[in-house]
Amino acid sequence: MNIKILSANANLYSTKRLLEAAKKRGHDIEVINHTKCDIVIEKKNPVIYYKGKQLDKVDAVIPRIGASVTFYGTAVVRQFEMMHCFTTTESVALVRSRDKLRSLQILSRAGLGLPKTIFTNYSKDVKHIVDQAGGAPVIIKLLEGTQGIGVILAETKKAAESVIEAFNNLQARVIVQEFIKEAGGADIRAFVVDGQVVGAMKRQGKEGEFRSNLHRGGSASVIELTDEEERAALKAAKAMGLGIAGVDMLQSSRGPLILEVNSSPGLEGIETATGKDIATIIIKYIERNVD
């Protein structure tokens, strides 16, 4: 098969692992910087050029689209879809996953457990917002934040009100979520491929840090999901329309609570924690879906 990895950085762990796994299974594979692609749109003839060369006879693409280039990256994925290429992440699901508010609404409609979340149009009644989230402490998140950036724990009501007011004055949209104390600064990442949980890890924030992101110094260890957690992960990925997903959830007294469904989950943390070859599992997923 002719496979393209859409990645702006060929040196990233995930990109290199996918490249290695595909080559081991005998496929022609190349890393394409999607931000350097040119899209040609005309009647019944979608074309993509990369470095002056037309990309044709492509069987499948693996989008590894960074959050900062979602708009253009999605357009490139959509163009490949118009060229009848299989994509491990569909363009509409990619757009959906990058919108935190829309994602939460979709997950809520699917009947999944979520931390109580408040969103307003720069409301000046910040006291009411904090009360609606269950009172302090609360988590305040920028809608455009990634990897734990733009996520704040406000431990008192006064602090929460001050942070919300500051973001409102900057015209920065935020969501306010209840703080799940019993999670203990840890969350679970379930890695889903083609309707199966292929690996799971528990991420623990470093001491004094409520965010468990590995990019922020958190640690990861393998975990066996409960039946309820596995069902929640699979249901979340399906609701978002993602064939590959990293489903992040909290363990709470009322069951698993979904935080986020990531459409471009990294491989380094999950492969290191579980010892599993997730990259090859992804390549096999492509093989099952391409004639």
Side-chain angles (χ1 to χ4, degrees):
M1 278 192 295
N2 183 0
I3 303 171
K4 307 295 184 188
I5 303 175
L6 306 182
S7 174
N9 187 349
N11 293 317
L12 291 175
Y13 177 93
S14 298
T15 303
K16 290 193 292 186
R17 283 288 296 118
L18 290 164
L19 197 68
E20 174 187 295
K23 285 181 177 178
K24 277 187 177 180
R25 294 188 63 81
H27 301 298
D28 292 325
I29 187 162
E30 179 185 11
V31 179
I32 295 294
N33 185 340
H34 44 279
T35 67
K36 306 297 183 184
C37 289
D38 297 322
I39 297 170
V40 180
I41 303 169
E42 62 178 330
K43 184 178 179 180
K44 295 185 178 181
N45 186 33
V47 174
I48 295 176
Y49 284 92
Y50 181 64
K51 295 183 177 179
K53 179 183 176 183
Q54 182 176 340
L55 298 179
D56 55 8
K57 298 180 181 178
V58 178
D59 297 303
V61 294
I62 306 173
R64 301 291 307 174
I65 310 297
S68 62
V69 291
T70 297
F71 177 80
Y72 197 78
T74 303
V76 173
V77 175
R78 192 179 303 119
Q79 190 82 345
F80 274 112
E81 290 171 342
M82 292 168 64
M83 293 161 59
H84 306 292
C85 296
F86 174 74
T87 174
T88 56
T89 303
E90 293 183 0
S91 57
V92 66
L94 178 57
V95 171
R96 192 185 292 135
S97 71
R98 291 290 162 80
D99 185 332
K100 280 190 175 72
L101 185 61
R102 184 181 181 188
S103 296
L104 290 172
Q105 289 173 320
I106 291 169
L107 296 170
S108 172
R109 185 173 59 193
L112 286 151
L114 305 165
K116 189 172 183 181
T117 303
I118 315 300
F119 177 74
T120 70
N121 191 34
Y122 307 120
S123 171
K124 293 182 179 180
D125 189 3
V126 293
K127 291 182 180 179
H128 182 64
I129 295 171
V130 177
D131 290 338
Q132 284 278 58
V138 294
I139 303 294
I140 302 167
K141 296 180 180 181
L142 280 171
L143 278 179
E144 283 78 30
T146 60
Q147 297 180 351
I149 299 171
V151 181
I152 297 167
L153 170 62
E155 298 195 28
T156 67
K157 187 171 184 180
K158 188 172 182 179
E161 292 169 3
S162 297
V163 171
I164 297 168
E165 286 173 348
F167 278 131
N168 284 351
N169 289 335
L170 292 170
Q171 297 287 289
R173 293 194 179 277
V174 297
I175 56 177
V176 180
Q177 288 185 327
E178 67 172 313
F179 177 64
I180 309 300
K181 184 178 180 180
E182 61 266 31
D187 71 6
I188 293 172
R189 160 67 62 91
F191 205 106
V192 177
V193 178
D194 197 19
Q196 299 287 327
V197 174
V198 297
M201 62 180 173
K202 187 170 187 176
R203 303 181 298 188
Q204 179 70 55
K206 62 183 180 181
E207 188 174 351
E209 174 62 73
F210 72 97
R211 292 166 294 187
S212 60
N213 304 74
L214 300 184
H215 293 85
R216 309 200 68 82
S219 59
S221 58
V222 67
I223 187 175
E224 185 173 342
L225 300 180
T226 65
D227 290 344
E228 187 179 15
E229 289 164 351
E230 183 169 350
R231 285 195 299 270
L234 295 176
K235 191 173 182 180
K238 184 177 181 180
M240 296 298 294
L242 290 167
I244 297 174
V247 181
D248 298 339
M249 64 184 99
L250 296 175
Q251 294 176 308
S252 81
S253 57
R254 60 182 192 265
L257 304 178
I258 306 296
L259 286 175
E260 185 178 6
V261 183
N262 194 314
S263 56
S264 295
L267 298 181
E268 186 170 10
I270 194 73
E271 287 196 336
T272 302
T274 63
K276 292 185 176 180
D277 184 356
I278 305 294
T280 294
I281 293 173
I282 291 173
I283 300 304
K284 289 180 178 179
Y285 167 47
I286 295 171
E287 292 169 352
R288 291 193 298 272
N289 283 274
V290 178
D291 292 334

